[in-house]
Amino acid sequence: MTKTALITGITGQDGSYLAELLLAKGYRVVGVVRRSSTTPYERIAHLVDRIELVSADLLDQTSLTDVVQAAQPDEIYNLAAQSFVQTSWNQPVLTGEFTALGVTRMLEALRKAAPKARFYQASSSEQFGKVVETPQRESTPFYPRSPYGVAKVYGHWITVNYRESFGLYAVSGILFNHESPRRGLEFVTRKISDGVARIKLGLQQELRLGNLDARRDWGFAGDYVDAMWRMLQQDTPDDYVIGTGETFSVREFCEAAFGAVGLDYRNHVVQDERFFRPAEVDLLVADPSKAQTQLGWQPRVSFAQLVAMMVEADLARYQRSNA
């Protein structure tokens, strides 16, 4: 029997890697996209003839219910959100609508149209925010420091609530920072790898960044979507922290990225207060031991490999465009 997976946010970084993984496992993949006059499908261009794309919107309950009713999925992966932390201060209400209430709408669509389906909610390490213990595990209390983090806490707890109230198979994966060459340019890791490529090729001279001392647990997005899938294959639903257990500063990311092309970051990186957060999250590092033990999950790509992969991809992209 071919399984059907419904993915919101399929055009994003995680959605594209998850679609690849599920197609390789023989799934029928249905991707939810917002109706638009343009088609921003760059990350899934190589997959569009193998997946089904349907229109719906996390702001519209009826469209979500209709899509779930039509697809009758075995698994639902809710990856869509307003996911850029910086933007959440400028658009806090919209962030809440998508990233918090959007989860409720998806759960309602599941409950009414496909209650036997298994549901994955994309939770975030930003929920831990001003951490109360290190490393952070499933039992660590949340202390979000941005409208995005607050919205993700709501999405997490409404998923738990629907699981316990209605007996749904609904889980949350609390994923720490996961990056790739498909990361959006507004995220600091991709901003760095893109900037390194441009500086190496003589297209710019400096790279302006915010807090260089913020520390994160960075892994490869392709590894993390495997953890999502594993969560939905368990006998009983549960929530899991996913990360590498290692932490590096933004400064160390810069050092590795510039070093990958033989440059010294100190000659090019400029700290700019415009890019500092109103409330900073200083240190995030996962304790993924539960996922390792119960899911058999392990990250495969190291920090150094991830940074080199991203820089090489951006270099190749600019070299192709200038060829």
Side-chain angles (χ1 to χ4, degrees):
M1 292 289 291
T2 300
K3 283 188 176 182
T4 295
L6 181 73
I7 304 173
T8 71
I10 195 169
T11 60
Q13 169 190 256
D14 291 7
S16 66
Y17 282 112
L18 178 60
E20 287 177 347
L21 175 78
L22 296 176
L23 287 170
K25 293 181 180 295
Y27 277 67
R28 169 190 173 223
V29 175
V30 180
V32 177
V33 295
R34 300 182 72 194
R35 187 173 297 281
S36 172
S37 58
T38 59
T39 53
Y41 299 160
E42 178 185 356
R43 296 184 182 95
I44 58 169
H46 60 299
L47 302 175
V48 290
D49 60 342
R50 301 171 59 200
I51 61 180
E52 300 171 37
L53 296 178
V54 294
S55 294
D57 197 309
L58 286 183
L59 302 185
D60 180 52
Q61 181 68 66
T62 300
S63 68
L64 296 176
T65 304
D66 288 348
V67 160
V68 173
Q69 180 67 51
Q72 284 299 300
D74 299 283
E75 298 171 4
I76 298 175
Y77 296 86
N78 186 43
L79 310 185
Q82 191 300 101
S83 58
F84 186 41
V85 175
Q86 194 71 36
T87 298
S88 75
W89 275 287
N90 300 327
Q91 298 180 317
V93 175
L94 185 67
T95 298
E97 286 285 352
F98 276 113
T99 308
L101 291 178
V103 185
T104 312
R105 295 184 188 107
M106 279 304 305
L107 286 164
E108 274 294 287
L110 163 70
R111 186 171 73 87
K112 292 177 178 178
K116 299 299 184 183
R118 297 187 171 197
F119 180 86
Y120 172 86
Q121 165 59 17
S123 286
S124 168
S125 60
E126 288 286 332
Q127 295 168 200
F128 296 121
K130 188 176 181 179
V131 298
V132 298
E133 67 175 355
T134 299
Q136 293 87 54
R137 52 185 63 88
E138 290 79 7
S139 59
T140 301
F142 298 137
Y143 195 147
R145 297 271 280 173
S146 66
Y148 169 78
V150 172
K152 279 293 186 182
V153 169
Y154 177 98
H156 179 93
W157 281 117
I158 199 67
T159 301
V160 173
N161 186 263
Y162 268 63
R163 178 172 73 216
E164 295 178 350
S165 300
F166 302 114
L168 302 177
Y169 192 112
V171 307
S172 287
I174 308 173
L175 271 56
F176 280 64
N177 294 64
H178 44 292
E179 318 297 322
S180 76
R182 301 179 192 174
R183 190 57 135 158
L185 285 167
E186 68 272 24
F187 291 86
V188 68
T189 51
R190 184 71 194 291
K191 184 177 179 180
I192 293 169
S193 66
D194 180 76
V196 167
R198 291 180 60 83
I199 290 170
K200 179 65 175 177
L201 296 173
L203 300 175
Q204 69 185 56
Q205 296 302 314
E206 67 178 24
L207 177 62
R208 291 186 169 269
L209 299 172
N211 182 9
L212 299 181
D213 297 316
R215 302 184 67 85
R216 295 291 185 271
D217 182 332
W218 277 303
F220 173 52
D223 290 342
Y224 287 42
V225 298
D226 175 61
M228 299 177 188
W229 175 78
R230 288 172 184 256
M231 288 181 212
L232 296 193
Q233 312 314 309
Q234 306 306 302
D235 291 336
T236 55
D238 204 351
D239 306 322
Y240 298 88
V241 161
I242 303 298
T244 69
E246 296 183 311
T247 181
F248 296 90
S249 67
V250 175
R251 190 184 308 277
E252 288 172 312
F253 198 105
C254 289
E255 186 176 13
F258 279 91
V261 295
L263 296 176
D264 187 333
Y265 81 96
R266 292 171 294 186
N267 297 330
H268 302 281
V269 173
V270 178
Q271 274 197 300
D272 189 328
E273 291 188 359
R274 291 178 301 166
F275 300 115
F276 279 72
R277 295 182 179 185
E280 184 57 82
V281 173
D282 297 311
L283 171 64
L284 292 173
V285 57
D287 174 2
S289 55
K290 178 179 174 182
Q292 291 171 352
T293 301
Q294 296 187 16
L295 303 180
W297 178 83
Q298 290 280 355
R300 295 166 294 177
V301 177
S302 71
F303 174 76
Q305 290 171 327
L306 172 65
V307 176
M309 174 200 305
M310 293 179 68
V311 171
E312 288 166 9
D314 277 320
L315 268 175
R317 181 170 56 90
Y318 281 111
Q319 288 167 339
R320 283 195 305 271
S321 65
N322 294 330

